[in-house]
Amino acid sequence: TPAWVRTVGSLVLVLLIVVSCATMPQAETAVRQASTQVHAAPSPVKPPLDSKAYYHFLRGYEAEMNQETERAIQEYTLALRGDPASVFLKARLAVLYFSVGEMTRAVELSEQLSQADVRDGQVLVLMAGIYAKSGQSEKALAMYDKAITADPSQSEPYFSKGVLLVNLKRLEEAEQAFEQGVEKAKDSPVGYYYLGRIEVEAKHTDRAVKHFEQAIRINPAFEPAYTALGSLYEMQQDRTRAAEVYRKYLQDVNPHSKEVRHHLIRLYLQDKAYRSALEELET
């Protein structure tokens, strides 16, 4: 599996958390394209040692894998009674409570994990995402920094931190975070994509184009980079090049993308190329 796929998989939960307040219109698309899985399998932290707790943990794990969220919460809660110090169980419960919108419970568990001096990078990133969703941005940033300290070789905390900083309009800090993440994962299109978005915000269009093109070179099927590049050309009133980008994606990558085809149809309508627009609509 390419490293960028592993990176994106770990980022999905945090990206979905912060995307609700995203200021960049392509952020949701990036997440949607990156992965369709919100819940990764539990990280390899030691399961509970108490026999009854372990029994309920196994039942909870089975329920979670079957996407039976309510039953998983019940079983993990029972397991936690037998092993109240388990970081593993608290982390899984925090994920599940977040998934059903019970943010108060998710934050409570994050606070408990914070007091337990957690050093697992995945758990720290999870906690940061929950804090971000609950509006506690500084706590979230502190958790990302702890995750980076726990394992400086991983790119996920840098990218997740960068997304949050973008939403806070702290673009210089966000750019630094993404650049550091790219250094750890040079084969990830996500970092270059967001660097491009930041350059768009800063009106450095030439550099934005280079970043989007780099994301496409790394992963020719990464749709957000195509739509971002096409939109950038549209901003520059270069509808010819924008249409070329959209057509390339539809012809070479995914002819079933309605979003990209809608972009192309809109361009044709702006140019009064009604026959071409009608052909795309019929497609």
Side-chain angles (χ1 to χ4, degrees), residues 23-148:
T23 57
M24 294 186 174
Q26 298 302 326
E28 187 174 1
T29 305
V31 177
R32 194 166 58 246
Q33 285 297 117
S35 174
T36 58
Q37 294 183 339
V38 174
H39 301 302
S43 58
V45 182
K46 290 183 180 179
L49 297 177
D50 177 86
S51 59
K52 288 185 179 179
Y54 190 68
Y55 167 74
H56 288 294
F57 152 71
L58 289 175
R59 288 175 59 87
Y61 181 89
E62 178 189 26
E64 189 175 359
M65 294 303 99
N66 290 329
Q67 298 183 339
E68 299 174 31
T69 303
E70 294 296 338
R71 186 165 72 88
I73 288 174
Q74 293 173 2
E75 294 295 341
Y76 283 149
T77 299
L78 290 171
L80 192 60
R81 291 177 185 174
D83 189 0
S86 174
V87 169
F88 177 88
L89 290 170
K90 289 177 182 177
R92 296 317 302 165
L93 279 168
V95 169
L96 295 174
Y97 279 129
F98 167 79
S99 73
V100 296
E102 293 195 33
M103 288 303 303
T104 300
R105 294 278 185 88
V107 171
E108 285 176 357
L109 286 163
S110 293
E111 293 288 355
Q112 292 178 32
L113 289 168
S114 179
Q115 294 169 9
D117 191 27
V118 175
R119 299 177 185 273
D120 182 275
Q122 291 184 14
V123 175
L124 289 165
V125 169
L126 163 68
M127 293 163 60
I130 291 171
Y131 281 134
K133 175 62 177 177
S134 65
Q136 301 181 62
S137 300
E138 293 306 317
K139 280 190 176 182
L141 292 171
M143 289 298 106
Y144 288 134
D145 287 338
K146 285 186 70 173
I148 289 167

Side-chain angles (χ1 to χ4, degrees), residues 247-258:
R247 280 197 297 266
K248 177 177 174 59
Y249 182 80
L250 292 170
Q251 292 170 4
D252 299 345
V253 182
N254 179 17
H256 304 295
S257 172
K258 290 184 179 180

Side-chain angles (χ1 to χ4, degrees), residues 249-276:
Y249 182 80
L250 292 170
Q251 292 170 4
D252 299 345
V253 182
N254 179 17
H256 304 295
S257 172
K258 290 184 179 180
E259 181 176 355
V260 174
R261 201 171 296 278
H262 286 164
H263 279 292
L264 187 58
I265 291 166
R266 190 183 67 254
L267 286 179
Y268 285 146
L269 291 173
Q270 289 174 355
D271 286 337
K272 295 183 170 49
Y274 299 123
R275 184 181 297 276
S276 297

Side-chain angles (χ1 to χ4, degrees), residues 203-223:
K203 303 188 186 309
H204 299 153
T205 55
D206 290 343
R207 281 188 277 182
V209 168
K210 289 180 181 179
H211 286 310
F212 293 142
E213 289 178 343
Q214 179 68 8
I216 291 169
R217 279 194 293 272
I218 291 170
N219 176 20
F222 193 61
E223 181 174 319

